[in-house]
């Protein structure tokens, strides 16, 4: 049986462009999901040379 997951996109607030996509298991509790997304947010900001405040995430709904 496959595990379900939630999919997120990270967006540069200045341009409105999606700059990273990430998936997280549905099994995690909401607090852990937020912690994981914050880590990815920091990583994406560093990799793209932009301020962390300009990167936000949004869940991709099917």
């Amino acid at each position: 049986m496959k595990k379900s997951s939630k999919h997120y996109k990270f967006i540069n607030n200045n341009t409105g462009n999606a700059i990273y996509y990430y998936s997280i298991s549905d099994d995690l509790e909401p607090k852990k999901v937020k912690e994981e997304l914050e880590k990815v947010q920091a990583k994406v900001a560093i990799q793209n040379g932009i301020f962390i405040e300009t990167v936000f995430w949004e869940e991709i709904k099917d």
Side-chain angles (χ1 to χ4, degrees):
M1 187 160 103
K2 287 186 178 180
K3 287 187 176 182
S4 59
S5 59
K6 290 184 178 181
H7 307 285
Y8 295 87
K9 62 182 173 179
F10 289 80
I11 301 167
N12 180 335
N13 194 36
N14 291 336
T15 64
N17 295 329
I19 53 177
Y20 195 78
Y21 293 90
Y22 192 73
S23 296
I24 298 179
S25 173
D26 263 349
D27 296 343
L28 291 177
E29 60 188 63
K31 184 179 177 182
K32 295 289 185 185
V33 169
K34 185 175 183 205
E35 288 174 3
E36 185 70 20
L37 290 172
E38 288 173 346
K39 288 178 190 176
V40 174
Q41 178 187 29
K43 176 182 146 187
V44 169
I46 291 168
Q47 287 177 340
N48 288 281
I50 55 179
F51 292 111
I52 194 168
E53 295 85 14
T54 62
V55 178
F56 68 97
W57 65 81
E58 181 177 283
E59 185 177 355
I60 300 171
K61 302 282 185 179
D62 291 330

